[in-house]
Amino acid sequence: MLPNHFHGENPTSLARNNCNVCSESLRFTHSIAYFYLTFNSIRTICRAYMHNDIPMVAFIVFAYFSYFIVDHCLTVFNRLPSDEESPKKELLKVTIWSLTSAIMFGFAYQFSTFMGPTVVFLMYGIAIVSSAILFYAHFIYDAQRGYKAFCSVKSIKILQFPAPADRDVDPDIKTLEEV
C-alpha cells in the first residue's frame, strides 16, 4: 500500500507515521504472543504438577523465563552500535546462544522420554545443527564481517507519485533520495 501524498506534506513524516503504525501493531502482536505463551506455560505446569512430573515443571519454568531473557538480550544487542566491539556485546552473544541452545536441547531431552529412537536422534540432530548455526551466525560470521549488523536495513525508498498539474509543488520539500 503506497502512501498518499498531499500538497505540502513531507514524505519523511509519512514514512515516520507508517513506521509508528507498524511498531504499534508489532507491540500488539507481541502482547498476544506473550499472553498465549504465559497461558500455555501455566496450563502445562499445572498438568505436569498434577501428574507429579517435577522435571517437566522445572523445564517449563526454565524455558519460559529463558525465552524472555533471550528476547530482552536480542533487543539490547540490536540497539548496540554494530561497528564496535565491546565486552557487553560478547556477553549478550554468549547469553543468547547458550540459553537458546539449552532450550532446544531441553526440548529434545523432554520429548526423548516417550519417542522412538529415530525421532530422538532426529530431535537431537536438529538441536545440534540449530545450535551450530546460531554459534556460526553470532561468533564466526559477525567476526568476519567486522561486527556489522546481522540483520539491518540498508536504505528506505519512498515512492512518490507526481503531483497533478493544477497543484503547486513546494520546491523546498526534499525527498529521502535528495537528503
Side-chain angles (χ1 to χ4, degrees):
M1 184 172 163
L2 296 173
N4 296 327
H5 293 285
F6 299 106
H7 174 68
E9 194 167 7
N10 189 349
T12 56
S13 67
L14 284 173
R16 192 175 302 116
N17 288 341
N18 286 341
C19 186
N20 288 338
V21 169
C22 289
S23 94
E24 289 295 322
S25 66
L26 280 176
R27 260 187 250 143
F28 180 69
T29 306
H30 281 168
S31 298
I32 291 172
Y34 293 155
F35 173 76
Y36 186 71
L37 176 69
T38 302
F39 177 75
N40 283 330
S41 295
I42 291 171
R43 199 175 83 198
T44 305
I45 288 170
C46 289
R47 284 184 181 178
Y49 184 74
M50 291 176 76
H51 293 292
N52 206 21
D53 190 4
I54 303 304
M56 180 61 86
V57 171
F59 172 69
I60 295 299
V61 169
F62 167 75
Y64 179 78
F65 287 111
S66 295
Y67 172 78
F68 285 107
I69 292 169
V70 168
D71 187 42
H72 177 71
C73 288
L74 281 170
T75 303
V76 171
F77 180 77
N78 288 330
R79 287 184 182 162
L80 291 175
S82 62
D83 57 347
E84 74 177 39
E85 184 178 344
S86 68
K88 182 177 183 178
K89 201 174 216 181
E90 292 299 318
L91 180 64
L92 287 170
K93 286 181 185 181
V94 169
T95 304
I96 292 166
W97 173 68
S98 61
L99 284 178
T100 305
S101 297
I103 292 170
M104 287 186 289
F105 281 105
F107 274 109
Y109 173 75
Q110 287 296 330
F111 286 110
S112 69
T113 58
F114 57 88
M115 297 287 184
T118 307
V119 177
V120 170
F121 180 74
L122 181 66
M123 290 180 70
Y124 275 107
I126 290 171
I128 290 168
V129 169
S130 300
S131 181
I133 290 171
L134 192 60
F135 181 83
Y136 175 79
H138 277 293
F139 295 102
I140 298 171
Y141 184 74
D142 275 352
Q144 290 174 351
R145 291 185 61 203
Y147 292 97
K148 291 183 182 171
F150 183 68
C151 180
S152 64
V153 176
K154 299 268 183 199
S155 65
I156 297 174
K157 186 173 185 176
I158 295 178
L159 299 175
Q160 185 175 10
F161 293 107
D166 58 340
R167 291 188 192 169
D168 294 327
V169 177
D170 189 3
D172 295 331
I173 297 176
K174 295 181 180 180
T175 63
L176 287 177
E177 294 171 352
E178 296 173 344
V179 175

